[in-house]
């Protein structure tokens, strides 16, 4: 193990895209549900447009337009817009709630559960995610993710990349930043963590946004670890 990471005790993960396949999961889940309900829609377009609203929705909180609002509520607000954009205009309130809760039912990437289980033997592991507590707990139950704790940004009332999110993990675990490793498929997330002294691991997910993805295909900096997946990360960390 590299000397620079030998003191790591806690390994935290970005979740959407890094641990779970949000796009593929939403398309599969809602396509099957739509067939059962007799609802014909372009679920791929819905997934992509919904995710496109992710940053603008969080920015409403960041810039003070609205007070602290968790991700479930931001997703629900965005869904009203994107559903209309793709021509879904006849859903009942109950059906809209079911669609919005799809984020609680995301599937892990094929390596996720095995890799996390290996890491858990040696490290404290958890998601450091913009997802709220209920979302992350339900997702973990659905996908078999063996977290030790859920470091939801809801606990810190800030979204990443606000410093309080990364340092909040250190504070809750009584650790120095260098004793925590941030793992993500997104270079911006790692850059924010590194700036505060955390260790970093890059796990590329070249199909997170589907085929033809152009972002986060390669590491943007010399992160402490670059792993092909979470199983490879566990191996590199000696787990």
């Amino acid at each position: 193990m590299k000397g620079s990471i030998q003191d790591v005790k806690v390994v935290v993960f970005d979740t959407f895209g890094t641990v779970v396949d949000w796009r593929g999961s939403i398309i599969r889940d809602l396509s099957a549900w739509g067939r059962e309900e007799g609802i014909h829609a372009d679920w791929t377009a819905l997934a992509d447009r919904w995710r496109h609203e992710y940053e603008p929705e969080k920015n409403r909180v960041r810039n003070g337009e609205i007070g602290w609002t968790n991700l479930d509520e931001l997703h629900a607000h965005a869904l009203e817009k994107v559903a209309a954009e793709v021509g879904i205009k006849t859903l009942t309130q109950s059906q809209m709630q079911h669609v919005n809760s799809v984020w609680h039912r995301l599937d892990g990437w094929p390596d996720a559960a095995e890799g996390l289980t290996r890491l858990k033997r040696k490290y404290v592991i958890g998601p450091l995610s913009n997802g709220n507590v209920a979302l992350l707990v339900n997702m973990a139950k659905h996908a078999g993710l063996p977290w030790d704790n859920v470091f939801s940004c809801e606990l810190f009332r800030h979204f990443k990349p606000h410093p309080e999110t990364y340092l909040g993990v250190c504070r809750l675990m009584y650790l120095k930043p260098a004793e925590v490793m941030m793992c993500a498929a997104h270079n911006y997330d790692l850059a924010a963590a590194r700036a505060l002294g955390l260790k970093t691991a890059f796990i590329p997910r070249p199909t997170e946004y589907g085929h033809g993805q152009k972002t986060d295909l390669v590491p943007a900096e010399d992160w402490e670890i670059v792993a092909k997946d979470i199983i490879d990360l566990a191996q590199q960390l000696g787990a």
Side-chain angles (χ1 to χ4, degrees):
M1 183 183 299
K2 296 179 183 179
S4 62
I5 58 176
Q6 62 185 359
D7 295 328
V8 169
K9 296 178 175 63
V10 172
V11 181
V12 293
F13 290 81
D14 166 74
T15 306
F16 301 119
T18 303
V19 179
V20 297
D21 174 16
W22 61 266
R23 184 177 187 271
S25 299
I26 290 173
I27 295 168
R28 288 190 297 271
D29 184 297
L30 296 182
S31 294
W33 175 77
R35 287 192 293 270
E36 293 174 358
E37 296 288 315
I39 299 170
H40 303 287
D42 187 342
W43 300 111
T44 298
L46 178 79
D48 289 337
R49 294 192 188 188
W50 204 358
R51 187 64 171 182
H52 183 71
E53 295 297 317
Y54 186 61
E55 288 301 323
E57 284 292 325
K58 289 184 294 178
N59 283 338
R60 295 171 64 221
V61 177
R62 291 175 177 135
N63 65 23
E65 177 183 340
I66 58 176
W68 170 256
T69 306
N70 74 24
L71 197 59
D72 267 339
E73 294 169 352
L74 295 180
H75 276 155
H77 181 263
L79 178 60
E80 293 180 5
K81 173 184 177 181
V82 298
E85 288 177 349
V86 299
I88 306 173
K89 302 178 180 179
T90 60
L91 297 185
T92 66
Q93 183 177 359
S94 176
Q95 288 172 326
M96 286 288 280
Q97 289 173 345
H98 178 81
V99 172
N100 196 53
S101 68
V102 72
W103 295 92
H104 294 229
R105 304 188 297 272
L106 303 182
D107 301 323
W109 292 108
D111 55 278
E114 179 182 344
L116 293 175
T117 298
R118 287 183 55 174
L119 283 166
K120 184 182 174 77
R121 297 170 188 160
K122 185 173 181 180
Y123 300 94
V124 171
I125 62 170
L128 175 54
S129 170
N130 289 319
N132 47 294
V133 172
L135 185 159
L136 293 171
V137 170
N138 291 335
M139 181 201 300
K141 183 68 70 174
H142 171 81
L145 307 177
W147 303 126
D148 289 306
N149 190 42
V150 170
F151 299 103
S152 166
C153 288
E154 186 175 32
L155 301 175
F156 313 122
R157 299 178 73 83
H158 291 284
F159 291 118
K160 293 185 297 178
H162 193 284
E164 176 57 25
T165 59
Y166 308 99
L167 296 179
V169 175
C170 305
R171 174 172 51 80
L172 289 175
M173 296 302 297
Y174 293 93
L175 294 175
K176 299 174 183 178
E179 296 174 307
V180 177
M181 172 171 279
M182 181 71 209
C183 306
H186 311 121
N187 283 286
Y188 88 90
D189 206 351
L190 299 180
R194 169 175 277 182
L196 297 167
L198 280 72
K199 300 306 180 185
T200 54
F202 180 66
I203 306 168
R205 297 296 189 184
T207 60
E208 175 187 356
Y209 289 91
H211 297 291
Q213 178 174 319
K214 298 180 180 179
T215 59
D216 291 315
L217 299 177
V218 296
E221 298 184 32
D222 60 336
W223 312 120
E224 278 75 23
I225 289 179
V226 175
K228 65 180 182 180
D229 57 25
I230 300 177
I231 296 173
D232 182 38
L233 173 68
Q235 184 172 352
Q236 291 194 50
L237 283 170

